[in-house]
Amino acid sequence: MPILTAAFSCVGRKGVSGLSVREVARLTGLSTGSVTHHFPTRRDLLHSAIDFGFERLVPELGALEPGTGLGVLLEHYDLSDAARRSWWRFVFALMFEAESSPDIATRLEQGCQVGMDRWRTVLEQERELGRVREDVDVGEAARTLVAVGNGVILAQLIMSADAGSAVADLAGAVHSLRPHPEPAAR
């Protein structure tokens, strides 16, 4: 939805306090009245943007072909795409606001849980395909991969790291969960 992605851009550039219905209207080519018709308050717009981003930007992994979810999930951390870069700038801007805003903190926590659930789903699918060791605690691995993923995002946003190599680092973390090859017989 263009209004919500415009909110990503606005908050990502100026922080939550910089979210302006007028600026969102300008970015979308709509009137301010059209924006406020759908989102009566700035807070409604902000909450809807948060929910939209966490719930809809990554496709439902259970609906994908087995074995393809990992690629889809890793792609979500590649910021060479302008829309994903805007989303992640938005998320990190929200983190600063969360300290003083319990409603945003709650939504970010829920979104983080969505991320962990997606990683857990992918890791369980990978385990069923024999691509993740049986001894791996999938819940703990999901938490770790979310943290590594956030580091990959920061590297791209702050340190201008190459998206391909940054995502390769995350893929390397996933690779560490793979079964160990059997030693060659002597």
Side-chain angles (χ1 to χ4, degrees):
M1 168 171 250
I3 293 172
L4 299 177
T5 57
F8 295 167
S9 176
C10 199
V11 170
R13 285 184 287 113
K14 300 178 182 180
V16 173
S17 63
L19 179 60
S20 155
V21 171
R22 181 174 285 129
E23 178 66 7
V24 168
R26 186 189 69 74
L27 290 170
T28 59
L30 298 171
S31 68
T32 56
S34 292
V35 174
T36 57
H37 171 74
H38 294 289
F39 306 99
T41 68
R42 285 179 60 240
R43 211 60 167 181
D44 292 334
L45 175 57
L46 183 63
H47 289 173
S48 294
I50 295 167
D51 297 344
F52 171 79
F54 280 117
E55 294 170 9
R56 298 193 188 145
L57 288 184
V58 176
E60 205 45 56
L61 297 171
L64 298 174
E65 290 292 320
T68 62
L70 179 59
V72 169
L73 201 51
L74 288 172
E75 184 179 285
H76 186 62
Y77 292 90
D78 178 343
L79 300 192
S80 59
D81 175 80
R84 275 193 300 271
R85 187 173 204 79
S86 180
W87 158 250
W88 282 105
R89 282 185 175 159
F90 172 78
V91 169
F92 280 94
L94 291 173
M95 289 181 185
F96 291 105
E97 186 74 15
E99 189 173 345
S100 61
S101 182
D103 59 322
I104 291 176
T106 297
R107 278 187 155 74
L108 282 176
E109 186 177 329
Q110 291 166 344
C112 189
Q113 187 61 51
V114 167
M116 284 190 283
D117 290 346
R118 286 190 173 125
W119 274 109
R120 191 177 297 108
T121 297
V122 164
L123 293 173
E124 287 168 352
Q125 289 172 349
E126 292 289 300
R127 178 181 279 158
E128 288 173 17
L129 294 168
R131 297 180 191 165
V132 168
R133 293 187 321 269
E134 289 295 324
D135 67 325
V136 170
D137 179 331
V138 173
E140 186 59 37
R143 278 188 290 282
T144 299
L145 291 169
V146 166
V148 171
N150 288 343
V152 163
I153 295 302
L154 281 174
Q156 292 173 83
L157 289 176
I158 295 173
M159 300 180 326
S160 301
D162 172 71
S165 64
V167 173
D169 291 342
L170 182 56
V174 173
H175 184 73
S176 71
L177 306 173
R178 302 271 188 227
H180 303 295
E182 296 294 323
R186 292 188 182 214

